[in-house]
Every structure is written in structure tokens, then in C-alpha cells.
């Protein structure tokens, strides 16, 4: 199921962010009348439709895998986590309805209604992702029930959905989707610009995508701070693992890099900032951080994997933030980085980092909760299926994902990213005149 999630999350994140960029492009076209914005909006609408189909397909596979691979988890917790899944379904169908209006509504509804339909697609796509993340938040901070004779009783679905981790994780995931997709899209169009030379279509696409990615990346640090404080209060074992903190300590240092050694109970080769972890986790430089020595050894996750995944996530996010700040400074100084080939190569180089951070972040979330599937209540080994002979299914699903990935790349390259022809530009200018009339 980890492979399915790793694949699904890429296209789900793009499906969340691309509609927002599509709406921004149409809004700019309505404001300026520049036909390249209209072409970008129509191209990204096609991309949104492609990603919607792939997201629905891989999401359906995940729902089947929940029942097949985690029958004991679903039997125990199905009543508690049903509400966010049902709300995700409502958001999904809302997105489908308004995506249909957006795709087929050109010249059939007013420009304002058409733009509004795109905005609903964007909002419902984000809502869908947040509702699903609420379920993961509940697995990290389970609330809304009592345990009686090993069973969940007195269930409050709304309280369970609004668990302490749900909203911070949902906001963090939404911003990560905008950040990763924005930088990746800017990088792809930078490649096209390096190949073709000056081109208003690619230049405008880069400006929109980079702005979305940069703003989300800057906001991500605020979101990350709120999420880190939640983890410090509700999941101290995870915090200790992701920071390589083995000993309970007042004024704990923040570690950059390093290799945790679970046998020696130390993190080697790390650059330590005194009091940094206490300050970030509790906003108090001398706050006490519970180390892994406060918890039974059998309840530790794989500290090495969690710590390295966290370092990769933070490292990628910090680099993207640095580039966003440099670009913001350049814009303030009225410097056109889009015409600088070195800046375009930089965009190409950092394009994958958002998705690397996204995948690493989910590894931190899932590996950091182990050995629990429901924190403090149900062990992962007690929730997973006992069915054997699943190897063929695993390999078949990975082959299917590889094929789907190639199909998506082929469709996006041919219908969304490619440089428009002269005939296409003339046609879109004529369409723009008709729409404006």
C-alpha cells in the first residue's frame, strides 16, 4: 500500500494545485485580454481533467487496498473514520460536476460563472485532500470515542474528524501540493523555454506556476511550525525520532543532519544549534523535550529512517524557500529573471524538490507513528492482513502504476506542456475575441 500511496500522492497533489493555476490564468485573461493566458487556462484545464481521472483511479485502488490489506484496522475503526471519507466523496463529486461545467462551459455560461466554476473545482479538490488527511490525523491523534472491552464505543464522528492533528496536517498537505506542483510546473516550462527561446506562453506559465509555488512555500514554514508544536504535544516519540533526540533534555538542541545510532543512543555528525529544538517545539528555549529514553524500546520507530526523511524534507523545503526569497527580491528590484538562462536552469534543477519533500514528509508521518497504526491503541502488526500470496498482486500493481505514469506523461506532454504552434496561437486569439464579445 505504501507504493500505491507514493504513486497516488503525486497525481493527487497536482490535481489539487493545477485547478488554482488554471483559475488564475483565466482571471488574468479576463483582466488583460492577453490570449496566452486563455491558452494556458485551456491547457491546464485539460491537465486537470487528466489528473482527475488518474486520481480517481488510483484513489479507488487505495480504497480496495484498505479492505484487502488492513481488514482488522477497518473492522475496528471503520465506524470512527467514516465521516471524513464520506465528506471526501461529496467534495469529489462536487469537483466532478463543476469540472464538467468548466470544460464544456466556454461560451455557454457567462465569463463570471465560468471563472466561478473553476474556483469551485479548485476549492473542492483541496477540500477532498484535506478530508482524507483528517483520517491520517485521527490515526496520529485518535479522539471521539471510548474503548470498552477492546471495542470503540460512544463514537462521536465529528469530534473524531476534528482531531488535533487533522487540520494542521491538512493545511500542511495542501500547501505542499501547491508548492510541489508550482515549482515542478515552472521547471518544466523552463525546459521548454531553454529549448525554444523567448515564448510568451511558457514565460506566462512560469510566472503563474512559480508565484503559486513560492507563496505556498513561504506559508509552509508557518504551517510547519504549528504542526511541529502539535507533534511535540501529542506525539513526543515521533518528535524525538525525527530530531534524533535520545535523551530527555531541557534546552534541547536542534540538529541539522547527523546519523542516529540506536545502539549508542546518540546522533553522530550533526550540527547542533543550542536550545533550538526546545524553542521551535514549545517557543521556549529551556523547555523540556522528552527523549526516546522516556519510552519503551519496543515503541520506538526506525529512528534512522525517520530522521533522514525529516532532514530531506526540511532541506528541500529550505532550498525552495531560499529560491522564492531570491526571486521575490529580484521582483522588488524589477529584475526579469525569466530572461536569464542561469535562472531558468536553476528552476529546472529545483523542479523535483517539492515532490521529494512531499514524499519524505509522508514517510516521516507514517514511519514516525510506528509501531502503531492507531497511535497508542492498535499495533500495525495486529491490524495488517494475515493473507499470504500477495506478491503477484504487489508486482502487478506496480506495473500498472508504471504504465499509468507513462500514459500521464505522454498525455501531459502532448496536450498540456508542448509549445503552441502558430496556427494554435491564431485560433486562440480568435476564440479570445469571441469569448470577450
Amino acid at each position: 500500500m505504501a507504493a500505491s500511496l507514493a504513486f497516488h500522492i503525486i497525481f493527487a497533489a497536482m490535481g489539487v494545485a493545477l485547478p488554482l493555476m488554471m483559475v488564475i490564468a483565466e482571471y488574468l485573461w479576463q483582466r488583460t485580454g492577453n490570449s496566452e493566458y486563455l491558452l494556458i487556462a485551456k491547457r491546464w484545464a485539460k491537465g486537470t481533467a487528466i489528473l482527475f481521472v488518474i486520481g480517481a483511479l488510483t484513489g479507488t485502488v487505495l480504497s480496495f487496498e484498505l479492505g484487502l490489506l488492513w481488514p482488522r484496522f477497518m473492522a475496528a475503526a471503520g465506524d470512527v473514520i467514516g465521516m471524513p471519507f464520506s465528506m471526501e466523496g461529496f467534495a469529489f463529486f462536487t469537483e466532478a460536476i463543476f469540472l464538467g461545467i468548466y470544460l464544456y462551459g466556454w461560451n455557454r455560461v457567462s465569463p463570471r460563472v465560468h471563472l466561478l466554476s473553476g474556483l469551485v473545482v479548485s476549492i473542492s479538490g483541496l477540500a477532498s485532500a484535506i478530508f482524507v488527511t483528517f483520517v491520517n490525523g485521527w490515526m496520529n491523534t485518535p479522539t471521539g470515542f471510548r474503548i470498552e472491552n477492546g471495542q470503540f464505543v460512544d463514537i462521536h464522528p465529528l469530534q473524531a474528524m476534528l482531531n488535533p492533528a487533522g487540520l494542521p496536517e491538512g493545511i500542511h498537505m495542501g500547501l505542499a501540493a501547491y508548492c510541489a506542483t508550482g515549482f515542478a510546473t515552472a521547471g518544466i516550462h523552463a525546459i521548454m523555454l531553454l529549448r525554444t527561446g523567448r515564448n510568451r506562453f511558457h514565460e506566462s506559465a512560469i510566472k503563474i506556476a512559480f508565484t503559486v509555488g513560492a507563496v505556498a512555500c513561504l506559508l509552509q514554514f508557518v504551517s510547519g511550525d504549528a504542526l511541529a508544536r502539535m507533534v511535540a504535544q501529542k506525539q513526543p516519540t515521533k518528535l524525538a525520532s525525527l530530531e534524533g533526540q535520545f535523551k530527555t533534555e531541557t534546552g534541547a538542541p536542534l540538529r541539522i543532519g547527523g546519523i542516529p545510532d540506536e545502539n549508542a543512543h546518540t546522533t553522530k555528525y550533526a550540527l547542533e544549534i543550542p536550545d533550538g529544538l526546545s524553542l521551535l517545539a514549545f517557543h521556549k528555549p529551556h523547555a523540556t523535550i522528552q527523549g526516546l529514553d522516556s519510552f519503551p524500546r519496543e515503541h520506538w520507530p526506525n529512528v534512522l529512517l525517520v530522521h533522514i526523511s525529516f532532514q530531506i524534507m526540511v532541506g528541500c523545503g529550505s532550498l525552495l524557500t531560499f529560491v522564492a526569497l531570491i526571486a521575490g527580491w529580484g521582483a522588488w528590484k524589477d529584475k526579469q529573471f525569466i530572461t536569464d538562462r542561469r535562472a531558468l536552469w536553476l528552476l529546472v534543477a529545483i523542479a523535483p524538490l517539492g515532490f521529494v519533500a512531499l514524499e519524505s514528509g509522508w514517510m516521516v508521518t507514517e514511519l514516525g507513528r510506528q509501531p502503531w497504526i492507531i497511535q497508542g491503541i492498535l499495533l500495525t502488526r495486529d491490524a495488517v492482513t494475515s493473507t499470504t500470496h500477495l506478491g503477484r498482486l504487489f508486482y502487478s500493481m506496480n506495473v500498472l502504476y508504471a504504465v499509468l505514469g507513462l500514459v500521464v506523461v505522454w498525455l501531459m506532454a502532448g496536450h498540456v506542456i508542448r509549445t503552441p504552434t502558430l496556427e494554435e496561437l491564431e485560433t486562440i486569439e480568435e476564440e479570445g475575441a469571441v469569448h470577450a464579445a
Side-chain angles (χ1 to χ4, degrees), residues 100-336:
I101 294 173
Y102 191 88
L103 290 174
Y104 296 101
W106 294 100
N107 271 345
R108 292 184 174 86
V109 298
S110 70
R112 183 172 297 179
V113 171
H114 192 265
L115 186 65
L116 182 62
S117 66
L119 188 61
V120 175
V121 172
S122 174
I123 294 172
S124 54
L126 176 62
S128 180
I130 289 177
F131 283 129
V132 170
T133 310
F134 278 168
V135 177
N136 184 269
W138 182 82
M139 293 162 69
N140 288 325
T141 56
T143 54
F145 60 86
R146 290 188 297 107
I147 297 287
E148 193 171 292
N149 298 323
Q151 303 293 320
F152 291 98
V153 298
D154 194 18
I155 295 170
H156 298 268
L158 186 60
Q159 186 180 346
M161 187 175 75
L162 301 177
N163 60 82
L167 190 58
E169 279 191 30
I171 293 173
H172 203 61
M173 175 59 203
L175 289 173
Y178 293 128
C179 178
T181 306
F183 277 102
T185 305
I188 290 170
H189 284 282
I191 293 174
M192 303 302 291
L193 207 53
L194 286 165
R195 292 174 57 185
T196 63
R198 297 296 303 270
N199 183 296
R200 288 192 304 169
F201 171 77
H202 292 306
E203 290 178 357
S204 300
I206 289 175
K207 289 178 182 175
I208 296 171
F210 184 84
T211 301
V212 169
V215 171
C217 199
L218 295 174
L219 292 174
Q220 193 68 300
F221 273 79
V222 180
S223 165
D225 176 67
L227 189 56
R229 284 187 287 133
M230 185 282 299
V231 171
Q233 294 173 3
K234 303 294 182 181
Q235 293 185 287
T237 315
K238 178 185 286 186
L239 178 73
S241 300
L242 59 88
E243 291 289 351
Q245 182 72 29
F246 285 93
K247 297 179 181 177
T248 299
E249 192 172 358
T250 298
L254 179 70
R255 293 181 178 83
I256 300 175
I259 302 175
D261 185 336
E262 294 186 28
N263 294 321
H265 289 202
T266 185
T267 299
K268 302 176 180 176
Y269 316 120
L271 174 63
E272 296 189 352
I273 301 174
D275 302 332
L277 180 56
S278 294
L279 185 63
L280 288 176
F282 294 100
H283 290 184
K284 296 177 181 176
H286 301 298
T288 299
I289 299 293
Q290 284 184 281
L292 288 163
D293 60 358
S294 299
F295 309 98
R297 179 65 183 84
E298 62 270 23
H299 290 174
W300 292 11
N302 185 317
V303 181
L304 178 63
L305 282 180
V306 174
H307 179 73
I308 289 177
S309 299
F310 181 70
Q311 294 292 316
I312 292 173
M313 180 190 73
V314 173
C316 291
S318 299
L319 186 55
L320 293 177
T321 302
F322 178 72
V323 174
L325 291 172
I326 292 295
W329 176 81
W332 182 53
K333 293 289 185 181
D334 201 25
K335 293 182 180 297
Q336 296 296 320

